[in-house]
Amino acid sequence: MCGIVAYTGKQSAREVLIEGLKRLEYRGYDSSGIAILNSPPYWARKVGKVAALENQVWQDSPAGTVGIAHTRWATHGKPSEANAHPHVDCSGKIFLVHNGIIENYMTLKKRLVAAGHTFCSETDTETLAHLVECAYQGDLEAAVRKALLDVQGTYGVAVLHTAHPQQIIVARRGSPIVLGIGEDETLAASDVSALAHQTDRVVYLEDNEMASLEPGRFAITTLENRAVSREVKPLEIGPEAMERGNFPHFMLKEIFEQPEAVENALRGRINHGEAVAKLGGLESVQERLQQARHLIIVSCGTSYYAGLFGRYVFESLTDLTVETELASEFRYRKLNLRQNTVVLAISQSGETADTLAALREAKRKGALVLGLVNVVGSTIARETHAGVYSHAGIEVGVASTKSFISQLTILTLMALLVGRSRDLSYEEGASILRGLERLPDQIRETLRQSEGIRTLAQKYCQAEHFLYIGRKYQYPIALEGALKLKEIAYIHSEGYAAGEMKHGPIALIDPAFPTMALAPEDGSYEKVVSNIQEIRARDGRIVAVTTEGNTKLHALVDDVITVPKNHEVLLPMLIVVPLQLFAYHCAVLRGCDVDKPRNLAKSVTVE
Ligand code: G6P
């Protein structure tokens, strides 16, 4: 979603800012803009790719070493130059970029218009520029502080004023801001990936804090103006994490990084002697975990499907009662959150607004709140009582792949940890651990089928609809496979529990409506075969994904993909790989922009 980058230092601001914006492109956006302090100040905005803004900026070559820039993902008002950030006040001296939503902007706007302010956009953000203008009396920091007191909603902001040629004010509430510290320069961004090319030292702002930045210096205060001292931390990603290498797309690179993602998720976390997982991040809450009776998993998108897998794995390895809920629906449920309830928030980015809102609600009600998060230092990671990092590495492709496989791996480890402290046998624990260790090589083996899957995609990529079916552990994978296909190839696809097929989707089956049937030889294999028969009887085309050595399906289906055999719990981590590759190849063959699918954002920071 929207991205912010700000720079004050000695270098040419236009270069640092445009490079920063390019590194934020993966988050999803529809327009971009930049403001650089100079006399007169430079201000440019463009609809479409950052490349359009870059061309304009290169043509104009503005001098200046202090500036702010933004990628916008439209919420209030369509994508247009007028709605793109930075926004400016009536005097043309204040420039402001904003992520989040100003919920009371209509009230504020009415008040400002009545006071004589002229608005040039349909955005909620512009109200903030005018509010700062009203509050300004020579001190920019004080003006931003005063303006923010009027605001309801969420924000990450960066503000410039022509009368303060070295200074940038940033602030956050519910939308991340991280500072990058250099020798003679200070940066800020909504995402560390926009800083990694400039610095390896960062400072995370907390909610309701602001900071005044000058070259090489920063001062943090709370919104109530109390000074805050905050540690400078090393940045754990290098600039190379954002490179595609020899891969044509980040998504393909990340699909191929999955063996290492699983290795990283497992590293140092296996105790063979006791057939249990070692998760350092949960040690501080061991006692409460021991008393837990209920687990509620909350998440969105792909992380929600990981959560659905989590329900099956926790139910089968532990005696907990488990529910998985969409974070966006969590607030509408009347869930009984007691002392012995654990809420687990799963999030790749650690910034998803609905997941964050759900975990805050759960905390308020006294539950133990845990996180399973990929981005180190993200808001969800910091706000949960304890948790486990996925360590999947930075994921750039909007469609989540390697972080999903890490989430499944870690959910299995967590379930094993809880299960072994209850009634899960040593033999069962040991067998799962052995299976987990075989996964990376088995994923490597599965990835070798990429070319074959491309040929298969050629056969099916013109389909306008697709059904994905699976049972038990494969049901969440059917949902995830269908999501991948719709996200990046724009093919309407539905994931279904195979047993539900007869309650609706079977009405759609005809030769133009193919099905991807997930049919490994596990406990529900025979039942899935019956579903395959039912589709066959209605002339539906079928691609089956099964386990190696199963030749029985060839007579029943049009195409077969196989994955290596492993413990039933772990087959999802193998089955999902060909589904990711299938979606990827379909998208490329259909000419889609795989890494930046239309309308989607990597990190959804508004509710
Ligand atoms: C967006 C992304 C998805 C992701 C979902 C949840 O929709 O495009 O790939 O699964 O958000 O994000 P999270 O960062 O919380 O896992």
Side-chain angles (χ1 to χ4, degrees):
M1 279 198 151
C2 301
I4 291 175
V5 50
Y7 178 80
T8 172
K10 304 266 183 291
Q11 300 186 57
S12 157
R14 64 172 192 259
E15 276 160 42
V16 179
L17 294 175
I18 293 287
E19 183 56 32
L21 286 187
K22 285 187 187 164
R23 287 165 185 267
L24 290 176
E25 280 192 285
Y26 79 99
R27 296 170 63 95
Y29 69 102
D30 43 54
S31 50
S32 59
I34 190 168
I36 295 174
L37 287 183
N38 212 327
S39 42
Y42 178 75
W43 181 33
R45 297 175 296 171
K46 285 280 173 206
V47 175
K49 301 284 178 207
V50 168
L53 181 71
E54 183 180 18
N55 282 342
Q56 184 67 53
V57 171
W58 267 203
Q59 227 171 300
D60 302 338
S61 290
T65 59
V66 180
I68 56 178
H70 190 260
T71 47
R72 173 175 186 256
W73 189 88
T75 58
H76 294 65
K78 61 181 185 306
S80 67
E81 272 185 29
N83 288 335
H85 305 205
H87 287 285
V88 70
D89 70 327
C90 299
S91 69
K93 292 179 181 162
I94 296 169
F95 294 87
L96 180 145
V97 292
H98 162 234
N99 290 354
I101 292 181
I102 306 213
E103 286 161 7
N104 59 336
Y105 86 100
M106 286 302 279
T107 319
L108 296 173
K109 189 169 176 176
K110 253 189 226 150
R111 198 175 86 197
L112 288 158
V113 169
H117 289 262
T118 310
F119 278 72
C120 306
S121 77
E122 305 158 284
T123 64
D124 52 331
T125 301
E126 196 185 346
T127 47
L128 203 43
H130 294 281
L131 279 180
V132 177
E133 179 186 9
C134 290
Y136 183 74
Q137 288 179 333
D139 180 339
L140 182 58
E141 186 177 343
V144 175
R145 191 186 310 280
K146 185 152 186 264
L148 290 176
L149 289 178
D150 278 342
V151 167
Q152 285 161 18
T154 55
Y155 51 78
V157 284
V159 191
L160 295 178
H161 193 300
T162 51
H164 303 266
Q166 301 268 283
Q167 192 183 27
I168 302 172
I169 304 296
V170 294
R172 76 160 275 176
R173 183 202 281 160
S175 199
I177 292 285
V178 54
L179 314 184
I181 316 302
E183 273 304 304
D184 295 319
E185 53 192 12
T186 309
L187 296 99
S190 50
D191 177 333
V192 287
S193 51
L195 305 176
H197 63 302
Q198 288 291 326
T199 180
D200 56 5
R201 296 191 305 141
V202 294
V203 176
Y204 294 95
L205 278 199
E206 301 279 349
D207 268 352
N208 300 312
E209 287 180 353
M210 54 195 294
S212 169
L213 317 181
E214 286 182 25
R217 286 189 295 143
F218 67 93
I220 305 180
T221 50
T222 63
L223 283 188
E224 297 82 37
N225 205 8
R226 266 181 288 109
V228 173
S229 110
R230 177 78 32 79
E231 199 191 339
V232 178
K233 294 198 166 161
L235 182 58
E236 293 187 356
I237 57 161
E240 72 293 342
M242 298 291 290
E243 310 294 340
R244 268 195 284 110
N246 292 328
F247 288 93
H249 298 99
F250 278 106
M251 183 183 176
L252 190 64
K253 174 178 177 247
E254 287 156 7
I255 290 173
F256 274 79
E257 283 171 348
Q258 293 185 113
E260 291 78 35
V262 173
E263 280 164 358
N264 291 341
L266 295 178
R267 184 161 299 118
R269 289 172 168 170
I270 291 182
N271 174 347
H272 280 295
E274 295 180 35
V276 73
K278 287 188 289 183
L279 297 169
L282 298 183
E283 268 162 22
S284 61
V285 293
Q286 194 71 27
E287 220 169 282
R288 275 190 82 180
L289 214 47
Q290 199 63 43
Q291 288 150 12
R293 302 267 37 105
H294 313 281
L295 171 67
I296 303 173
I297 304 177
V298 288
S299 41
C300 301
T302 290
S303 297
Y304 172 67
Y305 297 147
L308 284 181
F309 164 83
R311 188 174 72 190
Y312 288 100
V313 77
F314 268 97
E315 276 175 359
S316 98
L317 305 188
T318 76
D319 58 356
L320 294 174
T321 54
V322 191
E323 277 202 67
T324 299
E325 182 55 281
L326 286 165
S328 55
E329 287 295 313
F330 185 77
R331 68 183 58 181
Y332 308 119
R333 300 283 310 277
K334 193 166 176 297
L335 292 159
N336 241 332
L337 301 180
R338 306 186 205 96
Q339 268 292 89
N340 58 9
T341 303
V342 176
V343 171
L344 171 64
I346 306 180
S347 176
Q348 186 286 126
S349 61
E351 302 295 347
T352 302
D354 283 318
T355 311
L356 194 53
L359 87 80
R360 285 176 177 163
E361 180 68 13
K363 258 172 115 176
R364 238 190 317 274
K365 293 190 171 152
L368 171 66
V369 181
L370 306 180
L372 167 45
V373 172
N374 190 33
V375 176
V376 175
S378 55
T379 311
I380 295 177
R382 286 182 287 121
E383 290 205 11
T384 40
H385 293 121
V388 182
Y389 279 120
S390 319
H391 293 314
I394 186 163
E395 189 176 69
V396 175
V398 166
S400 191
T401 52
K402 64 176 180 174
S403 60
F404 180 66
I405 236 167
S406 297
Q407 289 166 348
L408 303 190
T409 307
I410 290 167
L411 284 164
T412 311
L413 289 176
M414 285 176 138
L416 202 58
L417 178 74
V418 177
R420 285 285 294 130
S421 68
R422 297 173 185 217
D423 58 359
L424 185 73
S425 71
Y426 174 91
E427 286 71 28
E428 186 61 0
S431 145
I432 293 173
L433 286 179
R434 280 196 303 275
L436 279 168
E437 287 184 314
R438 278 160 56 210
L439 274 178
D441 280 341
Q442 293 187 322
I443 297 171
R444 283 188 187 97
E445 197 181 320
T446 309
L447 288 169
R448 284 200 274 275
Q449 299 178 55
S450 182
E451 264 314 292
I453 292 171
R454 200 175 75 85
T455 311
L456 198 68
Q458 277 167 336
K459 188 166 159 188
Y460 290 95
C461 70
Q462 292 314 325
E464 283 311 317
H465 312 275
F466 234 102
L467 180 64
Y468 282 64
I469 56 168
R471 282 172 185 261
K472 197 176 175 186
Y473 294 115
Q474 306 311 328
Y475 165 47
I477 305 306
L479 293 168
E480 172 62 5
L483 177 65
K484 289 283 96 65
L485 197 65
K486 71 181 96 147
E487 273 180 314
I488 57 164
Y490 314 144
I491 296 176
H492 165 235
S493 43
E494 299 215 33
Y496 250 84
E500 270 295 294
M501 201 192 66
K502 287 196 282 294
H503 301 289
I506 200 163
L508 300 169
I509 296 296
D510 67 19
F513 198 134
T515 299
M516 184 74 76
L518 310 187
E521 288 187 290
D522 60 10
S524 51
Y525 174 72
E526 295 301 339
K527 286 199 176 1
V528 179
V529 172
S530 304
N531 299 128
I532 289 176
Q533 299 272 20
E534 289 153 6
I535 296 170
R536 182 94 250 151
R538 281 146 189 97
D539 292 330
R541 289 188 297 161
I542 303 163
V543 183
V545 188
T546 188
T547 27
E548 266 168 7
N550 176 14
T551 50
K552 294 169 290 195
L553 279 180
H554 285 87
L556 282 182
V557 303
D558 298 82
D559 294 282
V560 177
I561 302 171
T562 60
V563 300
K565 287 186 179 152
N566 202 327
H567 194 293
E568 180 181 31
V569 175
L570 308 176
L571 287 174
M573 283 84 131
L574 296 167
I575 302 266
V576 75
V577 174
L579 306 190
Q580 296 164 338
L581 287 169
F582 182 73
Y584 170 79
H585 289 301
C586 284
V588 173
L589 289 163
R590 288 167 70 101
C592 303
D593 189 348
V594 174
D595 286 332
K596 298 184 204 95
R598 68 185 178 209
N599 304 336
L600 296 182
K602 181 73 186 156
S603 178
V604 178
T605 48
V606 294
E607 290 183 1

